[in-house]
Amino acid sequence: CLGSQYAGWSLSHEKYYALGSGPARAMATKVKDGKEEPVEELYKELEYRDEAESTALVIENDAVPPVELVEKVAAACKVDPSRLTIIVTPTSSLAGGVQVVARVLEVAMHKAHAQHFPLENIIDGSGSAPVCPPHPNFVKAMGRTNDA
């Protein structure tokens, strides 16, 4: 839940910016000071990494990412771009609202992790949240999904 659903991967290329969630996060690495490491600090803390022949990433944005960003994500995950599925969900759409609200349990896991609660003590979890009506304005849509 924390290792995949959390929208923690900040992605940017020129003027394009988005947050990414999904299993690609647990595969992505970068080279820093000549050493390979996860693209997010969270994976160092969790001591977790995935490997697979294909992967997926959900992007919160209203525009398709540029090819350069797709290639960057695929390279970070060590998969061919044809083996990477990117799902674009504008926050102002019903799909975007659902994918944010659906991460309600992940928000609780993130909070527990931030408070240094031992995650190994969490055996099971469930969550529920209302699905809010979409709003065409990004800021209002984000407010609705975060409030839900």
Side-chain angles (χ1 to χ4, degrees):
C1 184
L2 186 59
S4 180
Q5 291 178 311
Y6 177 63
W9 193 359
S10 295
L11 302 162
S12 63
H13 178 76
E14 295 177 357
K15 292 184 179 184
Y16 186 91
Y17 174 78
L19 290 174
S21 62
R25 291 178 52 239
M27 293 174 61
T29 62
K30 63 183 177 183
V31 176
K32 184 176 178 182
D33 300 326
K35 183 181 173 190
E36 186 177 69
E37 64 180 43
V39 294
E40 295 177 52
E41 287 294 316
L42 173 66
Y43 293 98
K44 288 183 197 175
E45 295 169 23
L46 297 177
E47 298 179 351
Y48 184 83
R49 182 166 174 229
D50 278 345
E51 291 183 23
E53 294 178 8
S54 62
T55 192
L57 188 70
V58 177
I59 291 180
E60 293 179 41
N61 200 304
D62 60 355
V64 173
V67 171
E68 295 87 352
L69 188 64
V70 174
E71 291 171 344
K72 178 181 173 182
V73 170
C77 295
K78 295 183 178 66
V79 297
D80 187 88
S82 68
R83 307 289 294 172
L84 171 64
T85 300
I86 294 185
I87 302 165
V88 179
T89 57
T91 306
S92 59
S93 71
L94 182 57
V98 168
Q99 72 92 18
V100 171
V101 172
R103 295 195 311 252
V104 65
L105 180 59
E106 167 272 317
V107 171
M109 294 292 292
H110 180 68
K111 184 69 170 181
H113 177 69
Q115 296 293 319
H116 306 290
F117 182 85
L119 297 179
E120 62 273 11
N121 290 348
I122 299 174
I123 297 167
D124 196 6
S126 66
S128 65
V131 175
C132 51
H135 195 284
N137 177 279
F138 168 77
V139 174
K140 290 184 178 182
M142 183 59 75
R144 286 181 177 187
T145 59
N146 286 342
D147 287 350

